[in-house]
Amino acid sequence: MELGQLFLELGGVIMLLALVGRAAGRLGITPIPLYLLAGIGLGAFMSLGNAPEEFIHTGAEIGAVLLLFTLGLEYTSEELSGNLKANRQIGLLDLALNFTPGLIAGVLLGFTPLAAVLLGGVTYLTSSGIASKILRDFGRLGNRETPLILAVCVIEDVVMAAYLPVVAALLIGGTLVAIGMNLLVALAAFGLAFFLALRYGHVLSRVMNVPSDEALLLGVLGLVLVVAGVADQLKVSAAIGAFLVGIALSGEVADRARRQMEPLRDLFAAVFFVFFGLQLNLAQVPAVLLPAVLLTVVTGATKFAVGWIGAARAGVQIRGRFRAGTTLIPRGEFSILIAGLGLGLAPSLGPLAAVYVLLTAILGPVLSRFDAQLAPLLDRNKPPKNVSAPGPT
């Protein structure tokens, strides 16, 4: 392909993403579902050349890595350890209530056992990106329910950090001995990296904290990609390797790295969602629409229950419980990432996950936005409006 044609096609895709992002801002919703729709539309009505598709594919892989790296930057090792200890019961409840429906749905839909496990992962994970956007856009970062929301997201991220290496080893397949060795290597590599990130992250932070912003950007990006590459070679998820680098960095260097990397993350994350949408066949969507709607209803209720119960245990009032539950409903970037691993196992897993993510990514923010109107409906102690208080006797 000629260079001019390559630039024209890539430029057109990026301009489309810019328009989609502006539309999402005007609607007050996360752009993730619109990026997916843009990818589906491009796949249905346009035919990109091989070179743009290869660039978008590589960009999508980088996007997944940067998403988890910047997520890891949000947590210090102390916060991670504290959250795991303080909220482990809510974390177990979340796992039981939200992984199980996807697993059962996969079995009922006739998926292979491994594909059903992947669908369980799709329904389990709240989108940390959408949840943080809801908290930030609605001015709720200082609310009493916010620590509970963040704790659930942290626990889910840690579970995913162990879940993805196991799934990656199983996807490789082979004999039982080979699968066992792959699992052993993957879990050992993850455990060692997790230990090093928690124990010696401060040393890495000092080494990376150079005065030049340019040198910091290049150094951090290079480190993230190298660790992601090593993790992938060891059959651990590349994205989880990047997540552990994010956890290891703390203090000033983490703040500076976050500011430097966010524009790159936003660009490549958008490419990631478009690439997933490009892989979908619109003809498959009607067949998965009903299962996606049913999964949205069931797992929307179960995720809401997790937020409600957790906030109630923390002494949060009705509106705060409602906000906690609805903020946890959206699934997003990592549900799509997990579904992408299983496209070869169950062709309908990709369309099902995409429709499911679209529905939950819209439902959660809309319900959360109208907490003042909807939360009182769940307050059993509130007297009806037409009943007046009894007068003195």
Side-chain angles (χ1 to χ4, degrees), residues 358-375:
L358 280 170
L359 294 174
T360 59
I362 293 172
L363 178 65
V366 169
L367 291 177
S368 189
R369 187 171 189 173
F370 294 101
D371 63 301
Q373 293 78 19
L374 297 176

Side-chain angles (χ1 to χ4, degrees), residues 148-214:
L148 179 277
I149 295 170
L150 296 178
V152 170
C153 291
V154 170
I155 292 172
E156 289 180 354
D157 294 333
V158 173
V159 171
M160 182 181 65
Y163 165 86
L164 284 180
V166 172
V167 169
L170 293 174
L171 283 170
I172 295 171
T175 64
L176 288 177
V177 174
I179 292 174
M181 287 300 298
N182 288 330
L183 278 173
L184 182 63
V185 170
L187 290 176
F190 165 72
L192 178 62
F194 193 69
F195 170 77
L196 293 175
L198 294 181
R199 188 70 180 270
Y200 300 105
H202 62 283
V203 177
L204 178 64
S205 298
R206 285 202 301 269
V207 172
M208 300 302 297
N209 195 15
V210 295
S212 168
D213 286 342
E214 179 181 357

Side-chain angles (χ1 to χ4, degrees), residues 18-369:
L19 294 174
V20 165
R22 292 180 66 176
R26 288 184 177 275
L27 294 172
I29 62 173
T30 172
I32 290 174
L34 299 187
Y35 288 151
L36 285 170
L37 288 174
I40 294 171
L42 284 172
F45 302 110
M46 290 182 60
S47 178
L48 298 176
N50 290 332
E53 284 201 3
E54 289 175 4
F55 178 87
I56 291 174
H57 173 69
T58 303
E61 297 292 339
I62 295 173
V65 165
L66 294 184
L67 276 168
L68 264 88
F69 168 67
T70 54
L71 182 64
L73 288 175
E74 299 296 327
Y75 313 117
T76 65
S77 58
E78 293 80 9
E79 289 172 339
L80 194 63
S81 301
N83 274 323
L84 289 174
K85 292 176 182 177
N87 296 284
R88 57 183 179 273
Q89 291 182 344
I90 290 297
L92 290 173
L93 179 67
D94 181 30
L95 179 63
L97 289 182
N98 292 288
F99 184 89
T100 306
L103 180 65
I104 293 173
V107 173
L108 293 177
L109 290 170
F111 289 179
T112 64
L114 183 52
V117 168
L118 288 172
L119 185 56
V122 169
T123 60
Y124 168 57
L125 284 167
T126 290
S127 170
S128 300
I130 298 177
S132 63
K133 183 174 176 59
I134 291 172
L135 295 174
R136 184 171 58 250
D137 290 353
F138 295 160
R140 298 173 181 170
L141 290 172
N143 286 15
R144 287 190 62 195
E145 72 273 6
T146 297
L148 179 277
I149 295 170
L150 296 178
V152 170
C153 291
V154 170
I155 292 172
E156 289 180 354
D157 294 333
V158 173
V159 171
M160 182 181 65
Y163 165 86
L164 284 180
V166 172
V167 169
L170 293 174
L171 283 170
I172 295 171
T175 64
L176 288 177
V177 174
I179 292 174
M181 287 300 298
N182 288 330
L183 278 173
L184 182 63
V185 170
L187 290 176
F190 165 72
L192 178 62
F194 193 69
F195 170 77
L196 293 175
L198 294 181
R199 188 70 180 270
Y200 300 105
H202 62 283
V203 177
L204 178 64
S205 298
R206 285 202 301 269
V207 172
M208 300 302 297
N209 195 15
V210 295
S212 168
D213 286 342
E214 179 181 357
L216 175 68
L217 172 63
L218 294 173
V220 169
L221 180 60
L223 176 65
V224 169
L225 294 178
V226 167
V227 172
V230 171
D232 186 71
Q233 292 293 317
L234 293 174
K235 311 308 177 187
V236 180
S237 166
I240 292 304
F243 177 72
L244 295 175
V245 174
I247 291 174
L249 297 178
S250 60
E252 180 188 358
V253 69
D255 294 335
R256 292 177 59 204
R258 187 182 300 108
R259 291 194 299 271
Q260 295 286 327
M261 299 291 284
E262 279 181 349
L264 285 175
R265 177 204 63 190
D266 292 342
L267 170 63
F268 286 109
V271 171
F272 170 74
F273 294 118
V274 167
F275 177 73
F276 190 86
L278 279 170
Q279 293 179 303
L280 299 181
N281 183 355
L282 278 178
Q284 295 177 315
V285 171
V288 300
L289 186 58
L290 180 59
V293 170
L294 292 176
L295 272 178
T296 299
V297 172
V298 172
T299 60
T302 53
K303 190 67 81 169
F304 180 86
V306 169
W308 182 280
I309 294 170
R313 290 183 57 188
V316 178
Q317 297 303 310
I318 295 296
R319 279 187 65 182
R321 298 177 200 176
F322 184 87
R323 290 192 295 263
T326 54
T327 302
L328 291 173
I329 288 175
R331 275 66 162 185
E333 55 273 31
F334 304 121
S335 294
I336 297 296
L337 187 152
I338 291 170
L341 297 175
L343 292 179
L345 297 174
S348 62
L349 178 59
L352 174 59
V355 176
Y356 173 72
V357 166
L358 280 170
L359 294 174
T360 59
I362 293 172
L363 178 65
V366 169
L367 291 177
S368 189
R369 187 171 189 173

